[in-house]
Amino acid sequence: MQTIKVHSRQREEMIEITSQVIDLLPRTGEGICFLFVQHTTCGVTVNESADPDVKHDILLFLRKKVPQVFEGFRHFENNSDAHIKASLIGPYAVIPFKDGKLLLGRWQGIFLCEFDGPRERSIILKIIT
Ligand code: ZN
């Protein structure tokens, strides 16, 4: 088991971690890479890494659909929106690899999705061969 550390700088942002994951892959052999965040207000996803406007649009859409202030929210930390967005994105990703390369599509990248930053986040990485 290995860990990737990420420092978010904004309350909401998508931080690409593809290169950090590749650095931890074995050079030969094939298997799957399992990523998991032990956090309740961030998530992990695989999506477009070529056009940064996609990250912008995902965050904009989630912000519009799940506002930070919403009548009836009770959670004392006032970050219920971040908890909801984290559950929508999910806490894990599973990606196949072969000979040191992730078997991602041409436009795909792996992202930590921060919804209650800035914070230091840890992503657990388990290589299964
Ligand atoms: Zn909370």
Side-chain angles (χ1 to χ4, degrees), residues 40-41 75-83 116 119:
T40 60
T41 55
H75 180 43
F76 70 99
E77 288 185 313
N78 295 317
N79 64 352
S80 290
D81 66 310
H83 290 285
D116 198 25
R119 291 174 191 251

Short mmCIF file of all heavy atoms in Angstrom, two decimals, residues 40-41 75-83 116 119, ligand 1:
data_model
loop_
_atom_site.label_atom_id
_atom_site.label_comp_id
_atom_site.label_asym_id
_atom_site.label_seq_id
_atom_site.Cartn_x
_atom_site.Cartn_y
_atom_site.Cartn_z
N THR A 40 -14.29 12.55 3.84
CA THR A 40 -15.74 12.63 3.61
C THR A 40 -16.15 13.83 2.77
O THR A 40 -17.33 13.98 2.46
CB THR A 40 -16.50 12.67 4.95
OG1 THR A 40 -16.07 13.82 5.67
CG2 THR A 40 -16.25 11.41 5.77
N THR A 41 -15.18 14.68 2.42
CA THR A 41 -15.54 15.87 1.64
C THR A 41 -14.68 16.04 0.38
O THR A 41 -14.51 17.14 -0.13
CB THR A 41 -15.49 17.16 2.50
OG1 THR A 41 -14.20 17.27 3.09
CG2 THR A 41 -16.56 17.14 3.57
N HIS A 75 -26.20 19.89 9.47
CA HIS A 75 -24.82 19.55 9.85
C HIS A 75 -24.08 20.78 10.37
O HIS A 75 -24.01 21.81 9.70
CB HIS A 75 -24.12 18.95 8.63
CG HIS A 75 -22.71 18.55 8.85
ND1 HIS A 75 -22.26 17.89 9.97
CD2 HIS A 75 -21.61 18.74 8.07
CE1 HIS A 75 -20.96 17.68 9.85
NE2 HIS A 75 -20.54 18.19 8.72
N PHE A 76 -23.50 20.65 11.59
CA PHE A 76 -22.93 21.81 12.30
C PHE A 76 -21.72 22.44 11.61
O PHE A 76 -21.40 23.59 11.87
CB PHE A 76 -22.56 21.41 13.73
CG PHE A 76 -21.39 20.47 13.82
CD1 PHE A 76 -20.12 20.97 14.11
CD2 PHE A 76 -21.54 19.10 13.61
CE1 PHE A 76 -19.04 20.11 14.18
CE2 PHE A 76 -20.47 18.25 13.67
CZ PHE A 76 -19.21 18.74 13.96
N GLU A 77 -21.04 21.68 10.75
CA GLU A 77 -19.84 22.23 10.10
C GLU A 77 -20.17 23.15 8.91
O GLU A 77 -19.26 23.76 8.34
CB GLU A 77 -18.94 21.10 9.59
CG GLU A 77 -18.21 20.35 10.67
CD GLU A 77 -17.25 19.32 10.09
OE1 GLU A 77 -17.66 18.56 9.18
OE2 GLU A 77 -16.11 19.29 10.55
N ASN A 78 -21.45 23.22 8.57
CA ASN A 78 -21.88 24.04 7.42
C ASN A 78 -21.18 23.64 6.11
O ASN A 78 -20.93 24.48 5.26
CB ASN A 78 -21.68 25.54 7.69
CG ASN A 78 -22.57 26.01 8.82
OD1 ASN A 78 -23.74 25.64 8.88
ND2 ASN A 78 -22.01 26.78 9.73
N ASN A 79 -20.86 22.35 5.99
CA ASN A 79 -20.25 21.88 4.73
C ASN A 79 -21.01 20.66 4.18
O ASN A 79 -20.42 19.79 3.55
CB ASN A 79 -18.77 21.58 4.92
CG ASN A 79 -18.51 20.43 5.88
OD1 ASN A 79 -19.43 19.95 6.53
ND2 ASN A 79 -17.27 19.97 5.94
N SER A 80 -22.31 20.65 4.43
CA SER A 80 -23.11 19.51 3.93
C SER A 80 -23.01 19.37 2.42
O SER A 80 -23.04 18.26 1.90
CB SER A 80 -24.58 19.69 4.34
OG SER A 80 -24.69 19.52 5.73
N ASP A 81 -22.89 20.51 1.72
CA ASP A 81 -22.75 20.43 0.26
C ASP A 81 -21.52 19.62 -0.12
O ASP A 81 -21.55 18.83 -1.07
CB ASP A 81 -22.68 21.83 -0.35
CG ASP A 81 -21.42 22.58 0.06
OD1 ASP A 81 -21.12 22.63 1.27
OD2 ASP A 81 -20.73 23.10 -0.84
N ALA A 82 -20.42 19.82 0.62
CA ALA A 82 -19.18 19.10 0.32
C ALA A 82 -19.35 17.60 0.55
O ALA A 82 -18.86 16.77 -0.23
CB ALA A 82 -18.03 19.64 1.17
N HIS A 83 -20.07 17.22 1.61
CA HIS A 83 -20.33 15.80 1.87
C HIS A 83 -21.17 15.19 0.74
O HIS A 83 -20.90 14.07 0.29
CB HIS A 83 -21.06 15.63 3.20
CG HIS A 83 -20.22 15.93 4.40
ND1 HIS A 83 -19.25 15.08 4.87
CD2 HIS A 83 -20.22 16.99 5.24
CE1 HIS A 83 -18.68 15.61 5.95
NE2 HIS A 83 -19.24 16.77 6.19
N ASP A 116 -14.01 20.82 -0.04
CA ASP A 116 -13.98 21.60 1.23
C ASP A 116 -12.54 21.97 1.58
O ASP A 116 -12.10 21.84 2.72
CB ASP A 116 -14.63 20.79 2.35
CG ASP A 116 -15.02 21.65 3.54
OD1 ASP A 116 -15.24 22.87 3.35
OD2 ASP A 116 -15.09 21.11 4.66
N ARG A 119 -7.04 21.94 1.96
CA ARG A 119 -6.65 20.91 2.94
C ARG A 119 -5.54 20.04 2.35
O ARG A 119 -5.35 20.00 1.15
CB ARG A 119 -7.82 19.95 3.23
CG ARG A 119 -8.98 20.53 3.99
CD ARG A 119 -10.07 19.48 4.03
NE ARG A 119 -11.32 20.03 4.52
CZ ARG A 119 -11.86 19.75 5.71
NH1 ARG A 119 -11.25 18.92 6.53
NH2 ARG A 119 -13.00 20.27 6.08
ZN ZN B 1 -18.76 18.12 7.70
#
